[in-house]
Amino acid sequence: MPFSFTDEQKQTALWLGIALLLVALMVALGPILTPFIASAILAYALNPGVDWLSRRRIGKFPFPRALAVLIVILLLVFAILAVILIVIPVLRKELPLLQNQIPTFLTKLDGVIGPHLQDFGINVRLDGTGIKEMLTKQLSTSGDEIWTSVLASVKVGGTAVLGWLATILLVPVVLFYLLQDWHSIVDRVGKLVPRRWQGKTAAMTQEVDSLLAQYLRGQLLVMLVLAIYYSTGLAIAGFDVALPVGIITGLLVFIPYVGFGLGLALALIAAMLQFDGLHGLIAVAIVYGIGQVLESFILTPRLVGERIGLHPLVVIFALMAFGQLFGFVGILLALPCSAVMSVVVKHVKAHYLDSSFYQN
């Protein structure tokens, strides 16, 4: 007797095929979806604040949700501007001083490293004159190639800048509409779930929501601890800009590598400007080395990983895997997505252990 599909199986195959096509379409439209995905993540994080405000009253009238959304978005913008206003004065103070200190620093560096390079047959001067001669030589030998590369970089860079500007301008608009209609959007998506799966889907959604809330609280705690640590460590080492640099490093730690890299660069610049010897650079290496170990192997696995039920090894693997697959955005989404996947895996495992395939 030939095998034939039932009507229900045909319907299931049809909708699975449509779902796969939608996933493929989303992957193809990835760059366009970036502001919408970023806005959706921000909307999920900010919606509790909007709900809290909308439950308040202005006299006898309830707080309009649109006004609550506007206030929350303005608070987010002010918070971002506050971080920028902390960074810019430090850069404006340090960069001109650094420009004046570079020749002296290169002369000292040439005196320390130059003899060792000559032992390997490398006759390069690391002072200002030597670097100028080396650059002049390179420019004279490959001028056409360099100009071609520069023009290509300007073209690519200009396109990237325009893309970032479009994203920055679009995110607040999309965020406003998502927060305004958040509950209706969630209800509409929930109604699309097949009736026989709605109970299980609702339970899994609540579990995922609880895990993500714990993740956000854990991440905020990590940022606070690291801001205090870096500010205290740099202050003990005698840095004049310990407080702003420490706060910048701690608050931006939610962006892996970027916050740490920016804070490290500012600390190194401050060490070169403030201290004559190498003890400033050594202090930065010790403070930031310990801070990186503290963040990667203690704070993030303990305060974030354990709160969402992930083993420290799973946290490290998730960061590496999502970074490899999706780049910088993948690193940002690694732990939240891992929390969602852990819930799905737990329910799949329970279903597998109850199946006849396992028990018989």
Side-chain angles (χ1 to χ4, degrees), residues 95-122:
L95 291 181
L97 296 175
L98 178 64
Q99 185 178 3
N100 297 329
Q101 293 288 334
I102 284 177
T104 304
F105 175 75
L106 290 176
T107 302
K108 292 180 180 179
L109 188 66
D110 183 63
V112 175
I113 300 179
H116 298 286
L117 293 178
Q118 291 178 0
D119 293 338
F120 291 98
I122 302 175

Side-chain angles (χ1 to χ4, degrees), residues 5 9 11 21 23 50 61 82 100 120 140 166 204 207 210 213 239 245 265 267 303 322 334 342:
F5 291 99
Q9 290 174 333
Q11 287 282 334
L21 287 176
V23 171
V50 174
F61 301 98
N100 297 329
F120 291 98
S140 63
M204 292 176 63
E207 192 171 346
S210 175
F239 282 78
V245 172
L303 298 179
F322 276 83
S342 69

Side-chain angles (χ1 to χ4, degrees), residues 19-342:
L20 291 175
L21 287 176
L22 288 175
V23 171
L25 181 62
M26 292 179 66
V27 172
L29 297 176
I32 300 176
L33 293 176
T34 299
F36 295 91
I37 294 174
S39 301
I41 295 171
L42 288 173
Y44 174 81
L46 297 177
N47 182 65
V50 174
D51 287 342
W52 182 85
L53 275 179
S54 61
R55 288 194 296 266
R56 306 301 98 184
R57 288 182 175 274
I58 304 177
K60 297 182 179 180
F61 301 98
F63 207 92
R65 185 171 179 86
L67 182 58
V69 170
L70 185 60
I71 291 174
V72 169
I73 292 177
L74 288 176
L75 289 175
L76 175 65
V77 172
F78 288 151
I80 296 173
L81 289 177
V83 174
I84 294 174
L85 291 175
I86 292 174
V87 174
I88 290 179
V90 176
L91 294 177
R92 290 184 62 183
K93 176 184 176 181
E94 293 190 355
L95 291 181
L97 296 175
L98 178 64
Q99 185 178 3
N100 297 329
Q101 293 288 334
I102 284 177
T104 304
F105 175 75
L106 290 176
T107 302
K108 292 180 180 179
L109 188 66
D110 183 63
V112 175
I113 300 179
H116 298 286
L117 293 178
Q118 291 178 0
D119 293 338
F120 291 98
I122 302 175
N123 296 317
V124 177
R125 294 172 58 192
L126 297 178
D127 59 357
T129 304
I131 292 178
K132 184 177 180 180
E133 292 177 354
M134 182 173 63
L135 291 176
T136 302
K137 182 179 179 181
Q138 291 294 327
L139 289 172
S140 63
T141 55
S142 56
D144 294 338
E145 296 179 1
I146 290 176
W147 277 112
T148 303
S149 177
V150 167
L151 291 174
S153 300
V154 168
K155 182 179 179 180
V156 174
T159 304
V161 169
L162 290 177
W164 276 103
L165 287 176
T167 299
I168 292 173
L169 294 175
L170 187 59
V171 164
V173 178
V174 177
L175 179 59
F176 178 85
Y177 286 109
L178 284 177
L179 285 173
Q180 173 71 17
D181 301 323
W182 180 259
H183 294 291
S184 63
I185 292 173
V186 172
D187 290 340
R188 291 174 186 173
V189 173
K191 290 179 181 178
L192 294 177
V193 177
R195 296 297 180 183
R196 62 180 179 273
W197 295 348
Q198 281 195 345
K200 178 67 75 173
T201 303
M204 292 176 63
T205 302
Q206 292 178 357
E207 192 171 346
V208 167
D209 182 67
S210 175
L211 282 178
L212 291 180
Q214 294 180 47
Y215 164 77
L216 291 176
R217 287 195 292 267
Q219 190 64 63
L220 289 174
L221 189 56
V222 170
M223 293 162 58
L224 177 62
V225 170
L226 288 177
I228 295 173
Y229 164 77
Y230 283 115
S231 299
T232 304
L234 293 175
I236 292 174
F239 282 78
D240 295 334
V241 291
L243 185 61
V245 172
I247 291 175
I248 291 168
T249 309
L251 294 184
L252 294 183
V253 75
F254 74 95
I255 308 177
Y257 308 119
V258 173
F260 176 82
L262 178 60
L264 178 61
L266 292 174
L268 289 173
I269 292 172
M272 292 166 54
L273 296 176
Q274 186 175 341
F275 303 99
D276 294 331
L278 295 176
H279 63 279
L281 298 176
I282 294 173
V284 171
I286 293 174
V287 170
Y288 277 78
I290 295 174
Q292 185 66 11
V293 172
L294 185 68
E295 175 195 349
S296 300
F297 297 100
I298 298 177
L299 292 178
T300 297
R302 297 286 181 182
L303 298 179
V304 179
E306 287 187 356
R307 285 174 178 263
I308 58 178
L310 298 178
H311 191 275
L313 289 178
V314 176
V315 173
I316 297 171
F317 175 79
L319 290 172
M320 298 176 64
F322 276 83
Q324 177 67 28
L325 292 174
F326 305 108
F328 178 71
V329 176
I331 294 175
L332 292 179
L333 300 179
L335 293 183
C337 290
S338 298
V340 175
M341 291 173 62
S342 69

